[in-house]
Amino acid sequence: MNPNMRTHIHHYLDGITDEKQQRELGDWIKQCPENAFFFAEEVALHNHLADIIQAHNEVACIAPAETVAMKSPFTWSRVWGPVGLVLAACLMLLLYSGIPRLNAAQEFQKLLDGSEKFPDRTYRIQSLDSHPDTPDEHRLPLDNAILHVRNPDKFVLIGTFPNGDKFQNGSDGERGWSIPPRGRVQTSNDPMRFRGALPGHHHGIPFVNLKMDLIQLREAYSIGFAGNHPNGWPGITLSKKSNEYRGPRNISIWYDRDSGVIQQMDFHGMPKARGGPDSLSVSLINTNPLGDSFFQHQSHHGADRIIQQEEFP
Amino acid sequence: MPGVSAFITSIVRNFEDRNDILQDTAVAVVESFEKYDPAYNFTAWAIGIARNKIRNHFRNKPFLQTGFEEDVIDAITTAFEKTSEPNPRLGFLNECVERLDARSRELCDLRYKSDIKPAQIGQKLGMTANSISKSLLRIRERLRECINLKARQAGLTP
C-alpha cells in the first residue's frame, strides 16, 4: 500500500485534495480491483463513523434530529417520537433550572472571554491526594509539574523527579515531542502525539486550547456558584451531568473578577483508568510571553541527544 | 443500506447531499421494487439506482464537482457492488468511538456532526488545516486499529 495514496484517500474524503492528487488517486483506483476495494473500505469506515457521530448527537441534542426529521418525510413518525421526548425533557429542564443557572452561566461566559486575553500561560499542577502516586521513571510525574501553554495548540509540560531529573513533553503546534530523562528524544508529525501525559487530556480538562475546552465543559457539566477563594477570587463549580462523560466528577474554577482570567482550577474524582491522581489543582503562575522557540524540543535538551522521528502518513 | 450509503459518500462526500441522495434512492427502490430480479444482488441493484440519482444530483447542481472521471466511478461502483455485504468489523466501530479521547471526539463532532472541512475546523480552533487533516487521519487509523483488534478478539477472520 502506497502511504501517499492512503493520505490522498483521507484528503479526498475531507475535501482537500488538489487537482493533481485527485488525478493520482483516480489513476490508482482504476489500476486494479484491489486498490478500488481498499478505497471502498476506507470510505465505508468514514461513512459509518459519520452515521455514528450524527446518531450520538441526535440523541444528545435537539437540532440535528429536527433537521433529519424535516429532510426525511417518510421517516417523520420514526423520528418525531424520540425528538418529542427530548424536546419535552429539555423544556422541563429549562423551566425548572434555567433561571437560577443564568447568572452562573453568565459568569462562565466571563471565563470564556478571559480565556483569550493571554495567549501564553504558565501553570503549576499539584496533586491533592493524601498519598500521591510514587513517581515512575517511564511516566511524567505530575505532582508539582509545570505546564506552559500557548493558545491554541502549543504546550510544554515539565515533570521533575525527586532526584532532579526532568521528563518533558510538548508540541510546537506542528510536531509533538517527548524528552525522557534518558534515552532518545522522540518527535512526531502528529502534534497531539504526546498530549497523553497532560492530566485529563482524555477527558476534556481545560488546558491548552482553553476556550474550546471550556465550551466542552459547559455542555457536559451543570454550572453553579462556589464560595470565594481565600485570595478573594470568585468561583464557580461544575458537576458532571452524566457518567457517560468521562471527565472528573466535580471541578471548581476561581477567576479574576475583572478580567475573567482563570487563576486556579481544582479537579476532583478524576477518571483513574490510566492511573494518576484522584484530585489535582492547577494554579496560574504567570502570563509572561514565552517566545516561539520555547515550544520547540530543541530548546529543552542538549544537542547531543539522539532524536527519533516518527512520521505518520 | 450501509453499502449504498458508503457508495454515495465515495462520490459526493458532503453528508447532507449524501442524505438527500440516499433518501431519493430509497424512494426509487421502493417504487421500482417490482422490477427487481431476486436472482440479482440487491445492494448492487440499489447501487445502480443510487448512481443514477448521483448523476441527477450533479446535473441539478452544476457547481458541484464529483472530481472523478466516469471510468474511476466505474471502478468504485464495481468495488462497492462486490463488497455489498456489510463489513462485520464495522459493528465494533461504535464501541471504539466511545473510547476516543475528548479532543479526538471534538474533532469528529466538528467534522461529522457539523459536516465542516479541515480548513474551517482549523479556523474555528485556531489551528492549521494541515494539522487538523493529520489529526483526522490519525483518528481514523486508530479507529481502524481498534476495530481490527476487537474483530480478532471476537474470532473474526481478516
Side-chain angles (χ1 to χ4, degrees):
Chain A
M1 171 68 202
N2 178 346
N4 279 342
M5 284 306 144
R6 186 187 288 268
T7 308
H8 281 12
I9 293 171
H10 286 264
H11 282 181
Y12 169 75
L13 294 174
D14 288 330
I16 56 169
T17 36
D18 58 31
E19 214 171 294
K20 180 171 170 278
Q21 288 174 326
Q22 183 102 10
R23 200 173 46 252
E24 286 172 354
L25 178 61
D27 289 344
W28 178 81
I29 288 171
K30 60 185 183 186
Q31 200 173 48
C32 65
E34 287 74 23
N35 292 352
F37 284 130
F38 185 88
F39 173 80
E41 284 221 328
E42 292 295 306
V43 177
L45 185 136
H46 168 76
N47 187 61
H48 195 50
L49 180 56
D51 287 339
I52 286 172
I53 298 288
Q54 288 169 7
H56 280 195
N57 284 295
E58 275 171 27
V59 172
C61 165
I62 301 166
E66 199 171 21
T67 309
V68 169
M70 295 301 288
K71 291 178 66 64
S72 312
F74 63 91
T75 55
W76 272 26
S77 57
R78 193 159 48 104
V79 173
W80 275 108
V83 171
L85 285 176
V86 173
L87 276 169
C90 291
L91 190 59
M92 295 275 281
L93 277 173
L94 285 171
L95 285 173
Y96 286 100
S97 59
I99 294 166
R101 274 189 202 164
L102 195 58
N103 291 335
Q106 282 171 342
E107 289 298 298
F108 197 85
Q109 185 59 44
K110 196 185 275 186
L111 302 186
L112 290 177
D113 297 339
S115 68
E116 294 185 314
K117 287 200 171 133
F118 298 101
D120 292 351
R121 305 179 305 279
T122 298
Y123 301 102
R124 179 184 301 282
I125 298 170
Q126 286 177 299
S127 169
L128 299 175
D129 293 354
S130 48
H131 300 289
D133 286 348
T134 310
D136 165 352
E137 68 171 291
H138 301 293
R139 270 176 51 183
L140 194 148
L142 272 182
D143 195 18
N144 284 314
I146 300 294
L147 173 64
H148 305 275
V149 300
R150 171 178 288 180
N151 276 344
D153 54 5
K154 298 181 175 67
F155 76 93
V156 174
L157 176 62
I158 305 172
T160 306
F161 290 97
N163 66 0
D165 285 350
K166 292 189 187 310
F167 198 132
Q168 304 174 85
N169 284 0
S171 172
D172 61 12
E174 290 291 323
R175 295 193 73 81
W177 49 265
S178 178
I179 310 172
R182 279 166 291 284
R184 295 178 177 191
V185 172
Q186 282 183 280
T187 75
S188 168
N189 63 345
D190 179 354
M192 297 187 187
R193 175 75 170 83
F194 300 104
R195 287 181 63 155
L198 285 174
H201 158 61
H202 300 277
H203 314 296
I205 288 179
F207 287 114
V208 182
N209 190 338
L210 190 55
K211 187 166 190 177
M212 284 311 297
D213 292 337
L214 283 172
I215 288 171
Q216 201 165 311
L217 284 184
R218 184 172 61 182
E219 286 169 13
Y221 286 75
S222 303
I223 306 169
F225 284 110
N228 277 9
H229 189 274
N231 289 355
W233 302 315
I236 59 169
T237 58
L238 299 119
S239 306
K240 194 161 62 169
K241 289 177 189 167
S242 159
N243 283 335
E244 285 176 17
Y245 185 79
R246 293 183 298 159
R249 199 172 51 248
N250 294 302
I251 303 172
S252 302
I253 300 178
W254 289 278
Y255 54 96
D256 181 80
R257 191 183 303 276
D258 298 325
S259 65
V261 172
I262 294 174
Q263 303 295 316
Q264 185 175 322
M265 295 180 275
D266 288 358
F267 303 95
H268 300 282
M270 299 275 290
K272 297 282 284 177
R274 290 167 187 258
D278 178 69
S279 298
L280 58 83
S281 181
V282 180
S283 310
L284 183 70
I285 300 174
N286 63 56
T287 53
N288 299 337
L290 292 162
D292 288 339
S293 62
F294 180 80
F295 294 95
Q296 292 166 350
H297 66 89
Q298 294 91 337
S299 301
H300 299 273
H301 62 80
D304 56 332
R305 294 287 291 268
I306 296 172
I307 296 169
Q308 185 178 335
Q309 307 206 36
E310 184 182 70
E311 303 294 331
F312 292 107
Chain B
M1 298 193 291
V4 181
S5 170
F7 168 71
I8 298 168
T9 299
S10 74
I11 312 295
V12 303
R13 293 177 284 177
N14 175 304
F15 295 118
E16 200 179 326
D17 289 341
R18 176 203 67 172
N19 292 343
D20 287 346
I21 295 169
L22 187 60
Q23 204 175 103
D24 291 347
T25 303
V27 171
V29 163
V30 171
E31 285 175 351
S32 55
F33 192 70
E34 58 189 29
K35 294 180 195 160
Y36 168 63
D37 174 1
Y40 194 69
N41 178 314
F42 176 78
T43 307
W45 177 67
I47 283 175
I49 293 175
R51 191 167 173 181
N52 286 333
K53 294 293 171 192
I54 292 170
R55 279 198 194 101
N56 289 344
H57 185 78
F58 283 109
R59 202 172 293 138
N60 296 334
K61 294 184 176 180
F63 52 90
L64 290 176
Q65 295 287 324
T66 64
F68 283 139
E69 301 291 333
E70 279 296 306
D71 55 350
V72 179
I73 297 177
D74 286 343
I76 293 170
T77 306
T78 306
F80 276 102
E81 283 174 351
K82 290 189 175 168
T83 53
S84 56
E85 289 299 313
N87 182 348
R89 287 162 183 263
L90 291 179
F92 297 107
L93 188 58
N94 198 6
E95 218 176 307
C96 293
V97 169
E98 295 286 346
R99 295 174 57 184
L100 283 177
D101 59 80
R103 175 72 51 175
S104 303
R105 186 52 202 267
E106 178 193 351
L107 283 178
C108 284
D109 280 352
L110 288 166
R111 177 68 188 90
Y112 293 106
K113 174 190 160 192
S114 309
D115 198 4
I116 56 178
K117 301 288 192 292
Q120 292 161 281
I121 298 174
Q123 279 172 3
K124 215 174 168 71
L125 301 183
M127 293 166 75
T128 63
N130 191 34
S131 148
I132 297 289
S133 168
K134 276 182 191 166
S135 299
L136 284 169
L137 193 155
R138 285 281 299 148
I139 290 166
R140 292 185 201 121
E141 283 182 346
R142 281 183 198 138
L143 290 171
R144 170 79 65 198
E145 285 162 16
C146 174
I147 61 173
N148 285 344
L149 176 69
K150 288 187 179 296
R152 274 199 303 277
Q153 286 168 345
L156 289 179
T157 47

